[in-house]
Amino acid sequence: MISIIEDIKTIYKNDPAVRNIEFLLYPGLHSIIIHRFNHFLWKLRIPFFPRLFSQISRFFTGIEIHPGAKIGKGFFIDHGIGVVIGETAEIGDNCVLFHNITLGGTGKHKGKRHPTIGNNVTIGTGAILLGPIKVGNNVKIGANTFIVMRDIPDNTTVTGTPGKIVRMNGQKADLILPPTKEEQTIMV
């Protein structure tokens, strides 16, 4: 229950358009409430109903969150349509995701195969993060950024395809990261 209260507070903090009780109409809030219930069932090793409820939630909200994904408090999905969060994804506290984001796998890994996102991370519209990568704390990932199999350090801003670090620790940076083999394969 405390997580849901933090999720509601995060809506007010991150969306200047919300007034009064409009937050009750947000599909991101609907999906995270259902996910928190589904994740509880998933941890009890009841696989069918959490998957069923997550698919029903996806139908109504356009947001797909696997019941196995671990999501911290203060989570906000703005607009929501097209967000996909895979089974082994982990998302820290106070994270913001915009629409059309994928936290997915490459299909080449077993076990942990989805991204781990730190605390206080903002991920822009259309970003694609694939594989068991680690995104540090206080990271901003720009719209349409594409990152595969590349960890992102704390306190950075990443943009582009493939992802390029443009700010690090509050200072301008120009760290061009050459595409990994996985990125080259997928971008072709």
Side-chain angles (χ1 to χ4, degrees):
M1 185 64 172
I2 292 171
S3 292
I4 293 170
I5 292 169
E6 291 297 319
D7 297 331
I8 293 168
K9 287 180 182 177
T10 301
I11 291 172
Y12 282 100
K13 177 180 163 194
N14 289 289
D15 190 351
V18 69
R19 298 171 192 85
N20 303 321
I21 61 168
E22 287 175 347
F23 70 88
L24 294 173
L25 304 174
Y26 278 50
L29 180 62
H30 301 160
S31 66
I32 192 63
I33 289 170
I34 293 167
H35 171 73
R36 295 204 190 283
F37 175 72
N38 287 342
H39 187 67
F40 172 76
L41 294 177
W42 186 262
K43 289 192 314 187
L44 293 176
R45 301 192 186 279
I46 303 172
F48 178 76
F49 289 107
R51 290 300 303 269
L52 172 66
F53 298 149
S54 73
Q55 293 304 302
I56 292 168
S57 175
R58 181 180 90 167
F59 177 79
F60 284 107
T61 66
I63 298 168
E64 182 174 346
I65 305 175
H66 191 285
K70 297 175 185 172
I71 300 176
K73 65 183 184 205
F75 183 62
F76 178 53
I77 300 174
D78 198 4
H79 299 288
I81 287 293
V83 171
V84 177
I85 300 173
E87 177 182 9
T88 62
E90 298 176 41
I91 301 172
D93 295 338
N94 305 311
C95 291
V96 177
L97 276 63
F98 288 87
H99 56 284
N100 199 32
I101 290 175
T102 300
L103 302 180
T106 63
K108 298 179 182 181
H109 300 94
K110 302 225 182 274
K112 175 74 171 137
R113 45 191 202 284
H114 300 98
T116 298
I117 309 298
N119 298 322
N120 307 308
V121 173
T122 300
I123 303 176
T125 301
I128 301 172
L129 287 73
L130 299 177
I133 63 174
K134 289 184 174 40
V135 175
N137 298 320
N138 308 308
V139 170
K140 291 183 174 112
I141 298 175
N144 297 314
T145 298
F146 184 59
I147 303 169
V148 180
M149 298 305 302
R150 181 171 293 131
D151 291 347
I152 305 299
D154 291 346
N155 306 308
T156 57
T157 300
V158 180
T159 63
T161 299
K164 171 180 155 183
I165 296 174
V166 295
R167 290 191 79 73
M168 182 176 264
N169 296 318
Q171 303 294 318
K172 281 188 177 182
D174 192 15
L175 300 174
I176 297 173
L177 305 171
T180 64
K181 287 183 182 181
E182 290 85 359
E183 286 172 335
Q184 290 173 355
T185 303
I186 293 170
M187 288 191 297
V188 171

